[in-house]
Amino acid sequence: MSSSTASPASTTGSGPIPGQRSAAGPVALTSRAPHVPADRLVAEMVPPPRFDSVRFDNYIPDPNQPSQADAVRMLDGFAAGLDGATGGSRKRWFRRETKPAVPAGPRGVYLDGGYGVGKTHLLASLWHATPAAPEQKAFGTFVELTNLVGALGFQKTVQTLSGHRLLCIDEFELDDPGDTVLVSTLLGKLVEAGVALAATSNTLPGKLGEGRFAAADFLREIQGLSAHFRPLRIDGEDYRHRGLPQAPPPYDDATVRRVAQTADGASLDAFPGLLDHLSKVHPSRYGAMCDGIRAVCLTGVEPIPDQSTALRLVVLADRLYDREVPVLASGRPFDELFSEEMLAGGYRKKYFRAISRLTALARDAKPLAQG
């Protein structure tokens, strides 16, 4: 099952079919405010298209970072340990004489490491390697998980996910006390139901929430979350920039508009208008807002004015990166989006991730500008 099989979200207005250009010009993301049914949110809890084909055996460990190869072995063993019926007889990457036993203790594994070391690749590989039907395992970002609770309600979410063998949570971060209590309670219920957990983040489980709110006031919940996981550290540098040329500098407005008019499935928006539009669309709908879009063209990129706007842009950047949508822009370069104060604050890891991913997408857009 893949996200492409889910029923499409409806959009407001009478604009062009997603991904196509009308006679008047390219699609504008600001014209889209999709409604996403709750059943689509559940059906799309699978690895995003970018990670459809990832597996343990096509993850390329950095030979200078032994923790990466160790992570592959450990996660393959974790997946095999979820095969209660057969004990696992699959061909395994880095196989040795015997499959390493899954240690007793927490029923979850937590991949901690910097940006671009392949944590999401490994998490998606774990989802693919787990011997269960697609409907028995779920994959989503932390934001998508909290959005699911908002759409279904807490009890219905527990009921829906309790039948799963594995829940994978990408980019696990706690941004406010309400999320801390919500997710702590949810995961506790799922562990009781026998669901295995796997998560990625740039923050060790016991440090979740630091710098964002009065973490000491919610220490019990945070420690409860940490107890569900055993950390697995993955060292290394950002593979998106490893040995690759730097992202191209911003283009001029004329180039961006030309590409938007000629590239199939391109969108065209003024950056300030897009930021304003994001405030009117729930983040759970940003993925549907990008349905059919093959390239995003932005004019007038400028620094983000406030933290709420910045966090919404982070979610959009994640959805574009998941879908491998190139981003061609004019204005300021992406590494100037966030102020020094933002990059030094509690959400800095999200902002650095967004810069890393937007830079990769800008590099992907370079052939469009040269065409």
Side-chain angles (χ1 to χ4, degrees):
M1 180 176 69
S2 69
S3 58
S4 62
T5 63
S7 60
S10 62
T11 56
T12 60
S14 56
I17 298 172
Q20 295 183 348
R21 286 176 283 114
S22 69
V27 175
L29 293 178
T30 52
S31 69
R32 295 179 162 196
H35 168 69
V36 184
D39 58 352
R40 172 172 171 170
L41 294 177
V42 177
E44 290 189 339
M45 291 195 74
V46 297
R50 175 179 285 271
F51 300 99
D52 278 348
S53 61
V54 301
R55 299 293 188 273
F56 289 135
D57 59 3
N58 57 32
Y59 176 83
I60 303 175
D62 185 340
N64 297 317
Q65 303 292 345
S67 64
Q68 295 186 8
D70 291 342
V72 174
R73 285 192 292 268
M74 187 275 178
L75 290 171
D76 194 25
F78 185 80
L82 299 179
D83 185 359
T86 66
S89 58
R90 301 170 292 109
K91 178 181 179 181
R92 301 182 179 98
W93 187 239
F94 292 110
R95 182 169 181 173
R96 294 183 174 181
E97 292 298 320
T98 58
K99 170 58 60 180
V102 179
R107 186 156 173 82
V109 62
Y110 190 97
L111 310 183
D112 175 70
Y115 316 100
V117 296
K119 298 188 303 296
T120 303
H121 182 129
L122 291 173
L123 188 70
S125 298
L126 173 63
W127 188 92
H128 288 297
T130 297
E135 61 270 18
Q136 292 181 306
K137 46 190 178 180
F139 184 107
T141 65
F142 180 83
V143 171
E144 289 170 327
L145 181 62
T146 56
N147 288 340
L148 183 67
V149 177
L152 299 183
F154 183 82
Q155 294 299 333
K156 182 64 174 178
T157 301
V158 172
Q159 180 183 351
T160 300
L161 296 180
S162 289
H164 287 62
R165 185 170 293 179
L166 173 69
L167 171 62
C168 295
I169 310 168
D170 200 19
E171 304 297 348
F172 197 120
E173 294 187 24
L174 300 180
D175 298 337
D176 59 55
D179 281 349
T180 304
V181 176
L182 174 70
V183 175
S184 176
T185 307
L186 173 64
L187 297 187
K189 295 287 187 182
L190 296 179
V191 169
E192 289 177 4
V195 181
L197 307 173
T200 73
S201 186
N202 307 115
T203 308
L204 284 168
K207 301 295 184 180
L208 289 168
E210 273 194 0
R212 297 185 177 89
F213 55 87
D217 295 340
F218 295 87
L219 187 59
R220 183 180 64 181
E221 284 79 8
I222 294 171
Q223 289 178 336
L225 281 170
S226 180
H228 296 314
F229 299 98
R230 59 178 178 274
L232 180 62
R233 178 70 188 179
I234 305 174
D235 299 303
E237 61 178 309
D238 191 336
Y239 79 91
R240 288 181 285 266
H241 311 304
R242 190 191 305 164
L244 295 174
Q246 289 188 336
Y251 297 91
D252 57 66
D253 287 353
T255 299
V256 173
R257 292 194 177 100
R258 172 182 61 80
V259 171
Q261 293 288 343
T262 57
D264 183 40
S267 66
L268 176 62
D269 293 273
F271 189 68
L274 178 60
L275 295 183
D276 180 66
H277 184 66
L278 293 181
S279 70
K280 303 170 185 176
V281 179
H282 193 275
S284 66
R285 303 177 182 181
Y286 290 1
M289 189 170 68
C290 299
D291 281 353
I293 299 296
R294 298 183 184 178
V296 167
C297 298
L298 300 172
T299 58
V301 171
E302 58 187 26
I304 305 297
D306 59 79
Q307 192 146 259
S308 295
T309 303
L311 290 172
R312 287 191 288 267
L313 182 65
V314 168
V315 177
L316 179 63
D318 287 342
R319 300 292 80 77
L320 293 174
Y321 183 77
D322 288 346
R323 289 162 172 74
E324 301 181 278
V325 179
V327 178
L328 192 82
S330 67
R332 303 283 283 274
F334 288 131
D335 61 3
E336 296 180 13
L337 280 174
F338 307 105
S339 68
E340 291 184 8
E341 181 180 3
M342 290 179 182
L343 294 177
Y347 298 102
R348 60 188 178 277
K349 293 179 179 179
K350 287 190 174 186
Y351 299 148
F352 279 115
R353 182 180 81 238
I355 292 171
S356 173
R357 290 184 167 185
L358 288 171
T359 296
L361 296 177
R363 185 184 297 121
D364 293 344
K366 189 174 181 179
L368 296 175
Q370 296 173 336

